[in-house]
Amino acid sequence: MLRQRVGLKGSRAAAPSLLRPVCRSSPVARLPHASTVWPSGILVSLLHAPRSKSPNNAVTPLQNPNPKPQPPRNPRPAAITGGDRASAAFRGGLGRYPVPRLRLPGRSAQEFGVSSRFSVGEHWGRHGRPSRSSAPNSSAGFVPTTRRPSALLYGSLLIVRSFSPLGNLWEEARLSRSSASNSFAGFIPRSRRMTSSNVCKERFDAAVSCLHAIGIETKTVSRVLMDLLKVYDNNWEHIEADDFRVLTDAIFDEPDPKVQMKHCNKRLKIKNEDTFALPLQGQDLPTFEAPLAVMRPLVQGSSHQRAYKGTAHDVNDIARGEEHVSIPVISGSSNGILPPHFHYIPCNIAFQKAQINISLARIGDESCCSGCFGDCLAKQLPCACATETGGEFAYTSDGLLTEVFLNSCVAMLQEPQQQKKFIKECWIKCGCARNCGNRIVQRGITRPLQVFLTPEGKGWGLRAAEEIPRGAFICEYAGEILTNNELYERNIQETAKARHTYPVYLNADRVTEDLLEDDTALCLDATFYGNVARFINHRCNDANIIEVPVEIETPDHHYYHIAFFTKRKIMRFEELTWDYGLDFGDVNHPIKAFKCLCQSKQCRDKKKFSRSNSRALVLRSMGTGQGISRKGDSR
Ligand SMILES: C[S@@+](CC[C@H](N)C(=O)[O-])C[C@H]1O[C@@H](n2cnc3c(N)ncnc32)[C@H](O)[C@@H]1O
């Protein structure tokens, strides 16, 4: 009965295991029991169990007692074909998890996310922006999709392109600074010109204050912003999107300006003589100092290679005080190198369309222990919350997972037929106290941890700063909550930019067998916003931590927290590892997995040594967004 209630089925054959990560950049694999892909970030798909499937689910008086009959859920989209690499990647990673709507080849390059990382001056795309010729499915480069004039700035030279209807061809004009400054505005469509100094000032201030929040100086913001405005023809919309993500990317992707400047000048054969001020009206902004190419990273490398010295990370505490403990960054001999930039968040944050229905009214009496008092664990009988956890508390009075619960979680990973386990913690509608023993994950990180540079070449990792007992909570996997569709869009965009950021996948098929709608299925992406869990590296089979879904705020199984617990005692300075569930032998999978350096005797990446003589050939790093293939790398 209980299983039915939560939609658990004890013997679903070969059900994909729950929260297995998948590598997006590198990719993915599926074990017989796991179907996840995880490139360099982690993305967790969480489950959506429709209430109709949970007859005993709490329905409070405030809920609609006569809900409208739901149309039948769509089965897996029938249109999935083997030809679409990207969708195939998703399919492979998710098992029977519904695949996002297909984006077949032939879409416009702009839809592939040509934004801040393009080859300057090579092709001309929509809106007069240069576009990557390497964007997927645009092998022939970019054919202009509009006949609108466009302009680019190289050093002091302004190159303007306009379409001549008479000759039916594109004409290119190269203007010096002096002539350009008079003509430039004329090439920008009226609707996109900045006509109000107030608007500009407001926008400029907003950019500065947004970037200030992550420790970027006004000077740097101004300089890169000026470059971007030129690139985007003064169109702020691109720059402002996603909290100035393009601007942030450009700043953090800016390699050493001297090196970049040298390279750029050589490539363009343009003497960087003068500066060119955009016709920003009413603005007292700094003038343009560097060539456009400053925004195009020329150096690629693994996360630690491409790490930026002096970024916003605090070496003494990467969590910037967001956790109960400080989590220092230990870079060993690589003095001063820090993980690539990301925003530290201690708990999940919804992106745009993710619907997480957290409402006290939706928590019925059956789904909380409103009659409890003090510490639920001290009571003789398990409280209502524990009933959700299989009729027993998952935690001991020491705050550890019980042996029984931990063993069943481990068994669940090894044998997918096992009953799926999750924890239901007490929450604010419960009558118990905040320090109730059935509230562990929601209290956050309490164990001393360190982010460190792994010696094996896996990039950054997470380790214990002190001995940690078996069954202890380490951290939650925190990131942005997205819908399946939103994740897909991100994935495509990042791929288009050849950027291996973190987007990953986890199988969501946990509590129900219903297929999820792409617009409602939830995923978790720690690429841009995440916590220390994004540093946890993979280890085949004998990883020392395990992921457990935890229900806290909402009873409808639409949204879980992903919590990591130790599978055994952890020694001081021992790296914390998690089995991503990759199938390294799946050569047909469109997304290639990284070469595993886990050093486990049970390592599943059997081919890693035969592929090449050197080790650590590929470091697809979550953090940098850059994957590198070194000589001899066949993947
Ligand atoms: C979740 S991230 C872990 C943190 C990452 N090492 C970093 O520097 O940001 C996953 C990425 O780390 C690297 N990685 C994790 N486990 C690995 C392993 N066993 N062998 C090689 N690389 C690994 C891969 O590049 C993978 O895409």
Side-chain angles (χ1 to χ4, degrees):
M1 186 59 157
L2 179 67
R3 284 189 204 166
Q4 281 177 356
R5 178 178 184 179
V6 294
L8 300 178
K9 302 211 172 173
S11 60
R12 186 152 23 100
S17 94
L18 178 54
L19 317 164
R20 308 251 99 195
V22 195
C23 277
R24 189 174 66 86
S25 64
S26 33
V28 187
R30 274 163 294 144
L31 287 178
H33 65 278
S35 60
T36 41
V37 187
W38 160 330
S40 25
I42 299 181
L43 198 114
V44 183
S45 270
L46 299 159
L47 217 5
H48 181 165
R51 299 185 67 80
S52 57
K53 274 290 219 178
S54 308
N56 291 345
N57 256 359
V59 178
T60 67
L62 291 181
Q63 286 180 277
N64 181 359
N66 302 308
K68 282 186 196 163
Q70 295 292 314
R73 288 177 169 267
N74 287 343
R76 178 193 289 272
I80 297 169
T81 66
D84 182 20
R85 180 185 169 90
S87 64
F90 272 70
R91 186 171 61 248
L94 294 174
R96 32 185 319 281
Y97 193 86
V99 179
R101 304 284 172 260
L102 288 185
R103 273 44 173 194
L104 294 170
R107 295 186 89 191
S108 77
Q110 195 196 16
E111 287 174 276
F112 279 101
V114 182
S115 58
S116 64
R117 285 159 216 272
F118 39 71
S119 299
V120 174
E122 289 170 7
H123 301 287
W124 300 72
R126 279 195 195 176
H127 309 302
R129 285 192 288 156
S131 312
R132 281 183 79 89
S133 59
S134 57
N137 309 309
S138 63
S139 55
F142 248 45
V143 177
T145 53
T146 173
R147 293 181 173 182
R148 187 141 37 86
S150 51
L152 269 185
L153 188 74
Y154 286 142
S156 61
L157 190 68
L158 180 73
I159 305 174
V160 179
R161 271 201 154 196
S162 55
F163 188 77
S164 157
L166 276 180
N168 198 28
L169 45 78
W170 284 85
E171 290 174 350
E172 188 172 291
R174 295 174 180 238
L175 308 174
S176 67
R177 177 193 170 188
S178 51
S179 57
S181 58
N182 294 329
S183 350
F184 187 71
F187 288 95
I188 301 172
R190 184 173 296 278
S191 59
R192 292 162 67 199
R193 281 184 222 162
M194 283 182 285
T195 52
S196 158
S197 60
N198 286 339
V199 173
C200 294
K201 175 101 176 68
E202 269 171 32
R203 290 179 138 165
F204 176 77
D205 287 346
V208 167
S209 85
C210 184
L211 276 288
H212 261 187
I214 54 169
I216 312 296
E217 290 176 5
T218 309
K219 204 172 79 181
T220 309
V221 178
S222 303
R223 178 169 48 77
V224 179
L225 181 59
M226 296 299 287
D227 296 351
L228 285 176
L229 283 168
K230 291 183 178 79
V231 171
Y232 290 123
D233 288 358
N234 281 354
N235 185 348
W236 280 80
E237 279 166 25
H238 295 295
I239 298 167
E240 289 171 329
D242 279 3
D243 285 337
F244 297 94
R245 180 175 151 192
V246 168
L247 179 60
T248 314
D249 277 359
I251 289 174
F252 282 101
D253 283 347
E254 189 178 25
D256 183 339
K258 285 179 194 158
V259 176
Q260 180 64 272
M261 183 81 79
K262 195 173 153 197
H263 180 96
C264 179
N265 288 345
K266 192 173 159 197
R267 192 168 77 85
L268 298 174
K269 295 189 172 53
I270 291 173
K271 199 176 153 204
N272 185 35
E273 31 181 51
D274 219 335
T275 59
F276 177 80
L278 263 185
L280 295 176
Q281 294 163 16
Q283 298 299 302
D284 186 18
L285 299 178
T287 52
F288 178 58
E289 292 162 1
L292 287 177
V294 77
M295 279 167 296
R296 185 167 55 90
L298 299 173
V299 183
Q300 302 207 341
S302 66
S303 68
H304 50 290
Q305 286 171 320
R306 281 195 69 240
Y308 302 100
K309 295 187 180 185
T311 53
H313 292 312
D314 178 352
V315 281
N316 298 314
D317 181 14
I318 198 162
R320 294 181 290 108
E322 294 282 358
E323 308 286 3
H324 298 298
V325 291
S326 297
I327 304 169
V329 180
I330 315 292
S331 56
S333 55
S334 311
N335 235 350
I337 290 186
L338 290 172
H341 175 75
F342 69 97
H343 298 262
Y344 194 98
I345 51 170
C347 50
N348 298 334
I349 290 178
F351 175 52
Q352 284 179 336
K353 296 180 185 160
Q355 297 287 329
I356 305 148
N357 203 339
I358 297 173
S359 150
L360 291 178
R362 298 181 70 247
I363 302 176
D365 286 343
E366 311 87 344
S367 300
C368 71
C369 56
S370 50
C372 282
F373 187 82
D375 182 0
C376 289
L377 262 55
K379 295 200 322 181
Q380 282 189 335
L381 289 176
C383 69
C385 298
T387 311
E388 291 272 7
T389 313
E392 298 289 339
F393 284 114
Y395 301 123
T396 68
S397 54
D398 295 329
L400 305 175
L401 283 184
T402 64
E403 283 296 315
V404 174
F405 192 85
L406 181 54
N407 286 338
S408 54
C409 287
V410 173
M412 181 181 87
L413 283 186
Q414 287 162 355
E415 295 177 36
Q417 301 93 327
Q418 290 278 331
Q419 175 186 339
K420 305 295 183 235
K421 283 283 182 185
F422 74 96
I423 298 173
K424 167 76 179 78
E425 292 200 348
C426 297
W427 198 47
I428 54 180
K429 201 168 180 183
C430 299
C432 54
R434 191 160 179 192
N435 61 356
C436 163
N438 194 33
R439 301 178 186 219
I440 298 295
V441 171
Q442 60 194 271
R443 285 196 206 125
I445 300 173
T446 54
R447 305 282 172 179
L449 304 172
Q450 294 177 345
V451 172
F452 76 114
L453 211 42
T454 60
E456 305 91 3
K458 295 180 291 188
W460 296 93
L462 187 68
R463 71 186 182 190
E466 280 174 18
E467 217 175 79
I468 301 178
R470 168 178 152 94
F473 170 62
I474 296 297
C475 64
E476 176 181 343
Y477 194 90
E480 283 180 278
I481 307 163
L482 300 106
T483 65
N484 209 1
N485 273 341
E486 286 174 326
L487 169 65
Y488 184 80
E489 291 300 328
R490 275 193 184 185
N491 231 339
I492 292 297
Q493 288 189 1
E494 296 305 322
T495 305
K497 290 189 276 184
R499 184 184 184 205
H500 300 289
T501 49
Y502 289 51
V504 182
Y505 246 3
L506 290 181
N507 188 355
D509 194 7
R510 178 168 192 75
V511 177
T512 177
E513 290 189 12
D514 276 13
L515 292 173
L516 308 179
E517 301 285 348
D518 293 339
D519 280 334
T520 52
L522 299 181
C523 304
L524 205 54
D525 178 16
T527 305
F528 308 112
Y529 296 84
N531 68 348
V532 285
R534 75 202 294 284
F535 293 111
I536 300 173
N537 285 314
H538 161 83
R539 187 174 171 96
C540 296
N541 297 331
D542 57 0
N544 53 22
I545 63 174
I546 188 172
E547 75 277 9
V548 181
V550 180
E551 188 182 298
I552 301 176
E553 306 94 339
T554 170
D556 65 1
H557 310 301
H558 181 55
Y559 171 63
Y560 289 94
H561 296 261
I562 308 304
F564 293 106
F565 291 85
T566 53
K567 270 165 71 180
R568 59 170 172 78
K569 181 176 168 185
I570 309 289
M571 306 309 291
R572 190 176 184 213
F573 296 143
E574 185 179 347
E575 180 176 5
L576 296 163
T577 53
W578 172 29
D579 188 338
Y580 293 177
L582 302 173
D583 179 357
F584 293 93
D586 188 353
V587 290
N588 295 322
H589 201 286
I591 302 178
K592 304 298 180 190
F594 52 83
K595 283 190 169 57
C596 187
L597 303 169
C598 73
Q599 300 184 339
S600 164
K601 286 184 183 156
Q602 303 171 40
C603 179
R604 298 189 296 268
D605 189 6
K606 300 297 176 203
K607 292 183 189 160
K608 65 184 167 188
F609 298 117
S610 58
R611 285 188 196 110
S612 165
N613 294 329
S614 70
R615 71 182 184 92
L617 297 180
V618 174
L619 288 179
R620 306 270 188 205
S621 105
M622 281 182 63
T624 62
Q626 294 293 332
I628 54 166
S629 299
R630 296 187 202 155
K631 198 177 171 190
D633 178 22
S634 59
R635 289 190 184 200

